[in-house]
Amino acid sequence: MDEAVNGKSVQDQSGNGVGLRPDDELTWHRVHPVSPLVRGWVAVAAVIFIFGRNSLENVFSGHWDGNPGSLAQTAGAPVLVIAAVVAAAVVVFGSAFFLSWRFTRYQVTDEHVHINSGVVFRQQRRARIDRVQAIDVVQPLLARVFGLAELKFEVADGGKSAMKLSFLKLPEAQRLRAAILARASGVAGDPESPGEVHEAPETHVLALKPGRIIAAAIFSSTTIFALCVVAAAVVAVVWSGEPAILVAGVPIFIGIGASYWKSITGDFNFRVALSPDGVRLHYGMLETRAQTIPPGRVQAVGISQGPVWRPLGWYRVHINVAGYGADSSNGGSRSVLLPVGTLDEVMAVLGLVFPDPGVDNPFAVFAAGLQGPGSAEGFVHSPRSARWIDPLAWRHNAFRATETALLCRHGVIFRNLQVVPHEHTQSLGLRQGPLMAALGLVDFELHSTAGPVRPLVHHLSVENGQRLFAEQAARAATARRIHRREKWLAPDDDPAPVAEPAGSPDPMLEHAEPAHPVAERAEPPQEHPHDLPPQEQNRGD
Amino acid sequence: MTAAGRKNLPKQLSSAIDPGDVVFLRVSDKLITARFISSGVGALIFLALTAVPLVLKLTGVWAGYPAWLAWAAPAVVVIVMIWEMILIPRQVRAIGYAERDDDLLIRSGILFHRVMVVPYGRMQYVDVTMGPLERMLGLSTIHLHTASPGTNALLNGLPAPEAARLREQLSARGEAKLAGL
């Protein structure tokens, strides 16, 4: 049924691993016919529930009437009503679903992804494939039952409007993802079968055990909140001598339980893998999600640790990706690179997103950035005068610039390390209020794309702040000139990377380097004439 | 420094956190007029509202209203208004911008001071706007947007021709230096 749109036949969809040819202008595909139902099942369920309950009540009240004549009447009418309602619902939902399915078409050409949708308000969307920031394959629970998946294609628009294809058969979604990524990367096609692509091989890097996820949920701020609520409840009961007062707490406890449930099911089976197309994250218990973030698309990384996790040595890693924006759906879980990890695991995932840390001893430098305090490993912290505003944290608030990234460390109770590659610096700012002026301090802020990481260095001395401001502007300008290309595997670059031998996830920063030849810093631009074509493409946009 | 010939170069309020070797261009002094008018109108409306109890008391409609309160409220508004008016010229003179080879520098504020650098290659688009008051005085506002929501690069009170020149200049340089995200 997907075939024969516009009289042109669609390529064979059953071929497995054959890859996908680019569509020409007249070839359109449809999403899976069940998709409107999978998307709209809540509405259907609500209608069935409301009418079903009313009708059942009528039927049962008819049975209990006791009078056979009235039973026939009261039971007869509802049956007709039920039949009519069901028929009407089937017609209404069915035609709505059919129209919505019928009017949704998509096309993946060499350059663009097109999606046309909408019945009354038609929408035609077109996104450039080389501008892809990330691709997600999402499977909500009901979609998993049908073996379907949603494909989300992110472009850099602050997370407002992803290109969504919901729903496709899972293998089809994966093939499309591979095709889009292959075209975005500019990988050289197989000369014998031009246009066909194969899914890039995935190398396992690390997985989180269920025990760790559950422990992370238990040792979290939710638990502190729960303990506070319990304490308050106990106090209230003792003080009033009225155990019934606990009823008031029930909604709060339901909320706490839901929060635990969400954080455990959301991060369950968290796996990080690496492919030449980027970092791939798999997670979820009921709704599963596979995120792919191509190389160089991570704008900033934030590593944080609260006081509860300190003794356990765990950290959480967030990222800014232009397409994710300040997306708060799913509790912002899409911008989590690692929900809970030890220092070694943090270093391993950092190595995936920043293959080139720009220092000789990355482990020591990043560890100093995470653990502080003081000026070990070249960190520059606030001057002594800052202790009047930051009595505890002044030796923790620090920065360190490596050759490829700026590291901002702050906080003593909630520790944070923010890493921004120089080539992803958007703009810089210095701020000073009257109190800071009196103490000779200045705040340095670095603007990244919308997301959970907002890089900032608190309370530098004016001299250091000014120097950082000037140097960082120069470093960002240099990094922009030698910026890696948008197409990360284009054929005129080094030969396509060979996947590492599986089963050797070495948790060091050097780990990812063999798989990312393009991520190595390029020479100055004059020696790289082939850096120009993508620039010209940019201009055309 | 293409507009270096403009006469309003010096007399810049200097500050400790400005980059040392940069000469900032100032925005038009007409912005002082514009801000006087806009904040003056706002303050007058507020003054009129706070003066209502005083009028009621003086006309004897609401004689029971405490006299000190009736006088204090408008008095506070007047003091704040005068304070604001005194600050406005200094604030406007503190706004400055400088076009460097790779980026645009913007500074503002005296007490709450801010310096910002926006690389040309990072600009996604440039907004030039003109409100009714600005149009009367021949001023424009220019707003630079990068991919970051944190970039709040706003320049008020540019003379309209200078705003047009800056916009063209920024677009041209942005195109020449454009980098990916």
Side-chain angles (χ1 to χ4, degrees):
Chain A
M1 56 200 91
D2 282 19
E3 282 85 356
V5 180
N6 283 0
K8 281 212 111 189
S9 97
V10 177
Q11 88 285 345
D12 176 26
Q13 300 207 347
S14 63
N16 210 0
V18 186
L20 203 66
R21 290 174 179 283
D23 300 331
D24 57 49
E25 283 184 10
L26 291 174
T27 314
W28 289 88
H29 308 273
R30 293 241 161 81
V31 296
H32 197 277
V34 185
S35 0
L37 178 66
V38 177
R39 254 179 293 152
W41 70 272
V42 178
V44 176
V47 168
I48 290 175
F49 177 73
I50 291 164
F51 281 98
R53 200 183 59 180
N54 288 349
S55 325
L56 278 180
E57 274 173 5
N58 284 351
V59 170
F60 284 133
S61 60
H63 271 295
W64 292 327
D65 196 286
N67 181 349
S70 78
L71 174 67
Q73 275 184 350
T74 49
V79 168
L80 275 182
V81 171
I82 292 168
V85 166
V86 168
V90 166
V91 168
V92 169
F93 281 115
S95 50
F97 286 173
F98 175 76
L99 284 175
S100 131
W101 169 76
R102 180 80 198 165
F103 280 83
T104 305
R105 303 189 303 174
Y106 70 92
Q107 182 182 55
V108 181
T109 67
D110 257 337
E111 295 281 316
H112 295 103
V113 175
H114 300 253
I115 300 179
N116 293 354
S117 61
V119 180
V120 180
F121 297 95
R122 309 291 310 270
Q123 185 184 49
Q124 301 196 351
R125 254 192 191 171
R126 191 172 92 152
R128 277 177 57 156
I129 283 183
D130 60 352
R131 288 307 165 88
V132 62
Q133 300 293 322
I135 294 193
D136 291 10
V137 172
V138 193
Q139 283 192 285
L141 188 58
L142 195 63
R144 277 174 82 188
V145 173
F146 288 101
L148 300 177
E150 177 185 76
L151 191 78
K152 260 186 159 177
F153 177 95
E154 299 285 356
V155 288
D157 65 346
K160 282 185 220 87
S161 52
M163 304 271 285
K164 262 198 247 178
L165 277 176
S166 51
F167 291 86
L168 307 168
K169 284 203 178 108
L170 181 60
E172 173 69 11
Q174 284 167 342
R175 264 217 310 281
L176 259 181
R177 175 179 67 188
I180 290 173
L181 283 170
R183 278 164 214 163
S185 69
V187 69
D190 187 353
E192 285 171 20
S193 51
E196 295 197 355
V197 292
H198 299 275
E199 178 116 38
E202 223 177 87
T203 318
H204 174 80
V205 175
L206 65 88
L208 298 181
K209 294 198 178 71
R212 171 87 67 81
I213 302 289
I214 293 167
I218 291 170
F219 293 102
S220 68
S221 51
T222 313
T223 302
I224 295 176
F225 179 68
L227 290 177
C228 291
V229 170
V230 168
V234 168
V235 167
V237 168
V238 169
W239 180 69
S240 66
E242 192 74 54
I245 209 168
L246 284 179
V247 174
V250 166
I252 303 179
F253 280 105
I254 291 176
I256 291 170
S259 164
Y260 279 131
W261 172 251
K262 208 176 143 199
S263 57
I264 291 173
T265 55
D267 292 336
F268 212 74
N269 284 333
F270 198 96
R271 285 189 293 128
V272 184
L274 182 68
S275 84
D277 285 337
V279 179
R280 191 159 291 164
L281 310 176
H282 300 267
Y283 55 89
M285 184 195 275
L286 304 177
E287 172 180 308
T288 60
R289 196 179 264 272
Q291 283 172 237
T292 309
I293 305 157
R297 259 47 168 192
V298 173
Q299 306 280 334
V301 173
I303 308 160
S304 56
Q305 183 185 53
V308 188
W309 282 10
R310 177 89 34 79
L312 302 161
W314 288 346
Y315 300 89
R316 179 184 278 266
V317 184
H318 287 277
I319 47 173
N320 280 1
V321 171
Y324 292 166
D327 179 25
S328 56
S329 64
N330 290 325
S333 66
R334 291 173 73 203
S335 47
V336 173
L337 184 61
L338 186 67
V340 49
T342 60
L343 191 58
D344 281 348
E345 287 161 346
V346 169
M347 297 293 177
V349 296
L350 267 180
L352 304 183
V353 293
F354 297 139
D356 181 8
V359 281
D360 298 332
N361 51 344
F363 200 100
V365 170
F366 281 84
L370 284 168
Q371 288 157 351
S375 50
E377 298 297 341
F379 276 87
V380 179
H381 62 76
S382 308
R384 261 191 98 69
S385 58
R387 71 189 185 281
W388 298 108
I389 335 183
D390 280 328
L392 294 176
W394 66 276
R395 272 158 55 77
H396 280 269
N397 294 338
F399 75 91
R400 154 94 204 247
T402 75
E403 279 174 41
T404 52
L406 184 74
L407 278 60
C408 312
R409 172 179 88 191
H410 47 87
V412 59
I413 294 167
F414 289 89
R415 291 181 178 171
N416 263 298
L417 176 70
Q418 294 155 336
V419 186
V420 188
H422 296 321
E423 75 257 31
H424 292 311
T425 306
Q426 296 290 337
S427 57
L428 309 171
L430 279 182
R431 277 175 186 278
Q432 191 183 48
L435 184 59
M436 288 163 70
L439 294 171
L441 303 175
V442 66
D443 270 354
F444 172 84
E445 51 183 28
L446 202 152
H447 305 125
S448 176
T449 56
V453 187
R454 288 157 179 247
L456 186 71
V457 189
H458 284 293
H459 305 149
L460 286 170
S461 69
V462 168
E463 184 197 347
N464 282 339
Q466 267 184 315
R467 199 168 58 226
L468 175 61
F469 187 71
E471 286 176 2
Q472 191 59 30
R475 277 193 290 258
T478 315
R480 271 198 307 281
R481 272 183 230 117
I482 59 174
H483 178 61
R484 64 182 69 145
R485 284 111 47 71
E486 299 247 298
K487 297 192 169 187
W488 61 95
L489 289 179
D492 56 346
D493 201 52
D494 300 347
V498 187
E500 286 173 78
S504 62
D506 175 14
M508 283 304 295
L509 285 156
E510 291 77 19
H511 170 61
E513 285 201 323
H516 283 273
V518 273
E520 290 170 13
R521 270 167 305 124
E523 287 79 29
Q526 57 270 27
E527 294 168 41
H528 257 244
H530 61 249
D531 269 344
L532 289 175
Q535 286 239 336
E536 281 174 1
Q537 282 185 348
N538 287 344
R539 275 179 218 166
D541 198 13
Chain B
M1 217 53 41
T2 46
R6 289 175 34 167
K7 60 179 187 301
N8 56 355
L9 270 184
K11 223 178 96 188
Q12 179 73 55
L13 286 169
S14 73
S15 162
I17 70 168
D18 282 340
D21 49 351
V22 179
V23 184
F24 283 96
L25 298 180
R26 271 181 41 202
V27 297
S28 166
D29 279 339
K30 285 184 192 159
L31 182 63
I32 300 176
T33 321
R35 292 214 170 159
F36 269 141
I37 295 173
S38 63
S39 71
V41 167
L44 283 178
I45 292 171
F46 200 58
L47 185 64
L49 286 177
T50 48
V52 167
L54 182 64
V55 173
L56 290 181
K57 184 176 174 60
L58 291 183
T59 51
V61 181
W62 193 1
Y65 196 78
W68 66 270
L69 200 58
W71 285 104
V76 167
V77 171
V78 168
I79 290 169
V80 170
M81 192 170 143
I82 292 170
W83 176 244
E84 256 183 36
M85 296 296 173
I86 293 171
L87 278 189
I88 282 176
R90 282 163 56 82
Q91 279 173 339
V92 167
R93 275 199 290 272
I95 302 175
Y97 64 98
E99 293 164 81
R100 298 199 298 191
D101 286 343
D102 281 322
D103 40 38
L104 184 78
L105 273 172
I106 296 178
R107 53 149 296 154
S108 64
I110 312 157
L111 213 53
F112 293 90
H113 187 175
R114 196 170 76 132
V115 189
M116 177 180 265
V117 51
V118 186
Y120 299 128
R122 287 293 181 228
M123 282 185 310
Q124 301 289 324
Y125 59 99
V126 179
D127 267 348
V128 179
T129 53
M130 210 188 233
L133 189 60
E134 287 177 310
R135 190 179 343 227
M136 234 163 57
L137 296 165
L139 299 178
S140 298
T141 295
I142 201 160
H143 195 170
L144 279 67
H145 298 263
T146 67
S148 165
T151 308
N152 186 19
L154 193 68
L155 263 178
N156 282 312
L158 288 168
E162 169 68 1
R165 183 198 69 80
L166 199 58
R167 184 194 61 211
E168 292 308 313
Q169 187 78 10
L170 292 175
S171 320
R173 290 190 176 188
E175 213 154 274
K177 310 233 176 213
L178 186 66
L181 285 177

